[in-house]
Amino acid sequence: MSVRALRSTFGPNCHWCGLPMDFDEPHGRPESATIEHLVDSTLGGVRSQKHRRLAHAACNHARNEFRMQAERQFQSWIAARQASEKTLTDK
């Protein structure tokens, strides 16, 4: 599904912040419209049109960065949990 098709379906406003997006060239600016995958590609989001919306490039990037930060924090928590358990079992 293209930006044009998503715009005709969902309108010109960002899915996340609700503010109008920029559809003009050149693309790639913070206010430019991008395709947002609501469901991560590892969960099938890329191939499913119902999981796509339009979002500002800045909103899309921020969401992805926050998700990556959360994933890194979770991995750190798991490593600490495993280390703690290993310390208990080594006694």
Side-chain angles (χ1 to χ4, degrees):
M1 188 166 239
S2 69
V3 169
R4 180 179 290 176
L6 287 168
R7 183 179 184 183
S8 69
T9 301
F10 298 107
N13 293 344
C14 176
H15 175 76
W16 297 119
C17 71
L19 297 173
M21 294 176 288
D22 185 356
F23 292 89
D24 296 331
E25 299 275 345
H27 301 293
R29 297 179 319 278
E31 300 305 312
S32 294
T34 61
I35 296 176
E36 173 69 274
H37 297 93
L38 300 179
V39 177
D40 192 332
S41 62
T42 59
L43 302 174
V46 170
R47 299 203 188 279
S48 179
Q49 292 182 2
K50 68 181 179 179
H51 296 147
R52 294 180 185 178
R53 298 294 185 277
L54 291 178
H56 290 111
C59 293
N60 196 339
H61 176 76
R63 179 175 183 253
N64 291 334
E65 186 56 38
F66 287 133
R67 292 175 84 190
M68 292 301 295
Q69 287 174 8
E71 183 64 29
R72 287 189 294 269
Q73 288 174 334
F74 179 68
Q75 292 300 326
S76 177
W77 181 82
I78 290 294
R81 181 175 166 82
Q82 290 170 335
S84 174
E85 185 65 26
K86 185 175 182 335
T87 301
L88 291 174
T89 58
D90 286 346
K91 291 184 179 183

